[in-house]
Amino acid sequence: MRDATGTVAVVGTGTMGQGIAQVALLAGHTVRLHDVAPDRAAQAAEAVLGRLDRLVDKGRLDAEERAAAAARLHAHTGPDGVGDLADADVVVEAILEDLGAKQQLFTALEQVVSDETLLATNTSSLSVTAIAAALRLPGRFVGLHFFNPAPLLPLVEIVSGHATDEATAERAVKLATAWGKTPVRCADTPGFIVNRVARPYYAEAFRVYEERAADPATIDAVLRESGGFRMGPFELTDLIGQDVNESVTRSVWDSFFQDVKFTPSLAQRRLVQSGRLGRKTGRGWYDHTPGASRPEPHTARPCPAPEYAVPHGGLGPAAALPALAAEAGIALRTPAATAEGPTTPGDTTRHGCLELPGGALLRLADGSQPRGREIHFDLALDYRTATRVALAPADPASVADLAEATGFFQALGKAVSVIEPVPGMIVARTVAMLADFAADTVGRGVAGAGDVDTAMRLGVNYPVGPLRWCDDLGADWVADVLHNLHREYPTGRYAPGRSLLRRKGAES
């Protein structure tokens, strides 16, 4: 920008355009709101000022600042062009997601603004490179992808198209920082960072549901209460809108030439086709009509705690369980102190487990199908603070075996959800896939590791960045989960990527 309080033009006055205008306005800029529809820009300006009034009422903005901001806000209706935006130092576009419409807009803008004006698109699904292809000076064009609501969410993805100059990207980073945002940089790729890396969070939950391993309420509860995620994928997509979420998924899938790793969900497709789009229509995965009750997750009835457990080998990411069991009054015995060894010969050499008094084996979900008298338990972000744990018993496991396993975790203060024996369960397969997608994003030069983790924490409220999570779990453990899933589902969907395997190799 030519000065610290230069003019920012926002073209498109929907929810996102209004939010971006508010951010720029409160940063001290003169803001020009532009829309081709009569009166729409004026209505948007009134809506922005109404939000400022609410900030004043809450004590977060003083009346003088509000008055000064109102004096800097101008509404423009331009059915015949964008000539009123000629003095803009920055133009941010937030119109409909149509490539032709965006190209036409920016071509018109180039005819009236200075050659030094920064041109930016807020697109979430189109290629920044493709939009810039119609421009005379594509080097000054960049993606500024805000997240809704723009005034509240701190993340902005700074997306460099194929022709974007480095100086342009750096200028965009400085601008977003001056606006109080946290910018992350990435190359132009389908979904950018957040919408690319986040696909497995929805896809794996939908796959577990499609296999009838668990219902939406239980899957959501496990991911929240065990995985530490803010919202489960079913409730989150109901909030976003099933049509919006599925459209992003299909766009990324098509853009990656229908790569099997990005395959959309048939169950979600049927939901969209039925018009059950979530909260905005009253029904989605859940019933949101007035007075409707929310379904409860499956929670096992209380069972007595086992007297003891016998740890065999290391438990990897679940290494805290023996100590938690001891604190809960469950005795820990060494294998030599038992009359008999593990019920399933040889299984303790595959990976660690906890043997229960009746002979059942508790194993951390590893992407394989539980077998024999195994009962798999799901991954937790932190087994000490998790409030729920999911169990998946192998078919030969008895009712008594499951009761002992349930009592074990209930003694640790956890609610227990029993699901069908699906490979990788819920949290383990989701986190493994998120880590793989994140590693692939870095490996392909789309973004740096720090920016990927920052984007996922701030953009979609993940409890920890997926690459940091991968490091905490161990890339070898993550890769092993995916190898096992790949053996169970030999389609290529779960084959670990080269970047994750290199990360695994770097640990050894």
Side-chain angles (χ1 to χ4, degrees):
M1 296 183 61
R2 289 192 287 270
D3 59 73
T5 56
T7 298
V8 175
V10 179
V11 183
T13 58
T15 301
M16 185 59 76
Q18 292 175 28
I20 295 170
Q22 179 179 331
V23 170
L25 198 62
L26 292 181
H29 299 277
T30 295
V31 175
R32 300 194 182 281
L33 269 171
H34 179 279
D35 203 296
V36 296
D39 301 325
R40 190 171 292 171
Q43 293 168 2
E46 287 300 318
V48 170
L49 294 178
R51 293 192 186 97
L52 298 189
D53 288 336
R54 289 192 288 276
L55 292 178
V56 172
D57 292 342
K58 295 176 181 178
R60 295 166 57 187
L61 185 71
D62 63 45
E64 291 76 13
E65 290 173 321
R66 189 271 183 201
R72 296 194 304 272
L73 181 60
H74 307 279
H76 301 275
T77 297
D80 299 322
V82 290
D84 290 336
L85 309 183
D87 66 340
D89 296 275
V90 175
V91 181
V92 183
E93 166 271 315
I95 66 172
L96 74 165
E97 290 289 81
D98 178 86
L99 177 60
K102 292 180 188 291
Q103 288 181 328
Q104 183 178 2
L105 169 64
F106 283 109
T107 299
L109 282 165
E110 275 201 315
Q111 297 176 23
V112 298
V113 301
S114 163
D115 285 355
E116 297 179 0
T117 298
L118 179 69
L119 299 182
T121 176
N122 184 59
T123 185
S124 61
S125 61
L126 298 176
S127 165
V128 171
T129 300
I131 299 171
L135 299 184
R136 175 173 54 86
L137 298 174
R140 47 96 168 257
F141 187 79
V142 69
L144 271 178
H145 183 217
F146 289 79
F147 289 77
N148 194 29
L152 297 180
L153 293 185
L155 184 70
V156 177
E157 292 178 318
I158 309 297
V159 186
S160 292
H162 185 70
T164 301
D165 292 334
E166 177 64 19
T168 297
E170 291 177 356
R171 183 179 173 190
V173 168
K174 291 179 181 177
L175 179 67
T177 302
W179 288 0
K181 299 300 181 182
T182 302
V184 293
R185 290 192 56 178
C186 66
D188 185 21
T189 188
F192 309 143
I193 299 175
V194 172
N195 281 331
R196 171 180 175 152
V197 176
R199 295 346 295 165
Y201 187 63
Y202 314 108
E204 294 311 308
F206 298 161
R207 176 66 68 92
V208 171
Y209 167 76
E210 288 170 344
E211 294 188 21
R212 294 296 184 263
D215 60 276
T218 299
I219 296 170
D220 277 352
V222 171
L223 282 162
R224 287 195 314 269
E225 300 172 37
S226 186
F229 292 93
R230 185 75 58 86
M231 295 181 73
F234 294 92
E235 58 187 341
L236 180 55
T237 53
D238 266 3
L239 175 63
I240 295 169
Q242 299 302 329
D243 53 338
V244 174
N245 181 261
E246 196 221 18
S247 177
V248 173
T249 298
R250 295 185 71 85
S251 174
V252 173
W253 179 56
D254 285 335
S255 296
F256 278 110
F257 309 104
Q258 300 187 349
D259 187 328
V260 68
K261 286 182 176 287
F262 297 94
T263 301
S265 162
L266 181 59
Q268 188 180 38
R269 176 94 288 257
R270 293 290 181 257
L271 209 61
V272 173
Q273 289 173 333
S274 70
R276 297 190 172 194
L277 307 182
R279 292 189 183 184
K280 61 187 176 184
T281 62
R283 288 179 181 271
W285 296 110
Y286 299 110
D287 185 351
H288 301 278
T289 57
S293 59
R294 181 70 175 267
E296 294 294 326
H298 177 276
T299 303
R301 293 180 178 180
C303 294
E307 292 183 10
Y308 66 87
V310 184
H312 293 277
L315 295 176
L321 285 183
L324 294 177
E327 292 172 15
I330 298 174
L332 298 176
R333 297 185 180 180
T334 63
T338 61
E340 298 178 0
T343 302
T344 308
D347 274 2
T348 56
T349 63
R350 182 156 56 94
H351 51 78
C353 65
L354 287 167
E355 184 184 0
L356 299 176
L361 303 179
L362 274 175
R363 292 195 190 280
L364 174 61
D366 64 354
S368 65
Q369 186 78 15
R371 58 181 186 259
R373 293 178 64 192
E374 290 181 347
I375 298 173
H376 284 190
F377 60 91
D378 211 347
L379 179 69
L381 174 66
D382 182 338
Y383 283 100
R384 181 172 291 278
T385 59
T387 57
R388 183 177 297 270
V389 172
L391 299 179
D395 290 333
S398 68
V399 172
D401 290 338
L402 182 57
E404 274 198 326
T406 299
F408 176 88
F409 282 102
Q410 288 174 339
L412 273 54
K414 319 301 180 188
V416 173
S417 291
V418 179
I419 70 172
E420 293 298 313
V422 61
M425 299 190 68
I426 299 171
V427 182
R429 70 194 289 170
T430 298
V431 171
M433 287 291 280
L434 288 172
D436 189 52
F437 274 47
D440 184 69
T441 299
V442 174
R444 294 181 185 272
V446 173
D451 278 350
V452 169
D453 275 356
T454 297
M456 302 314 293
R457 286 190 300 102
L458 300 184
V460 279
N461 287 314
Y462 284 4
V464 65
L467 292 171
R468 167 66 185 277
W469 209 340
C470 180
D471 290 342
D472 290 345
L473 294 169
D476 57 342
W477 184 85
V478 173
D480 287 347
V481 169
L482 293 175
H483 277 305
N484 289 335
L485 281 165
H486 181 54
R487 280 193 288 269
E488 300 286 350
Y489 305 96
T491 63
R493 177 188 180 99
Y494 298 104
R498 292 297 306 162
S499 296
L500 179 66
L501 294 177
R502 289 185 64 184
R503 203 175 187 90
K504 173 183 175 180
E507 291 181 350
S508 53

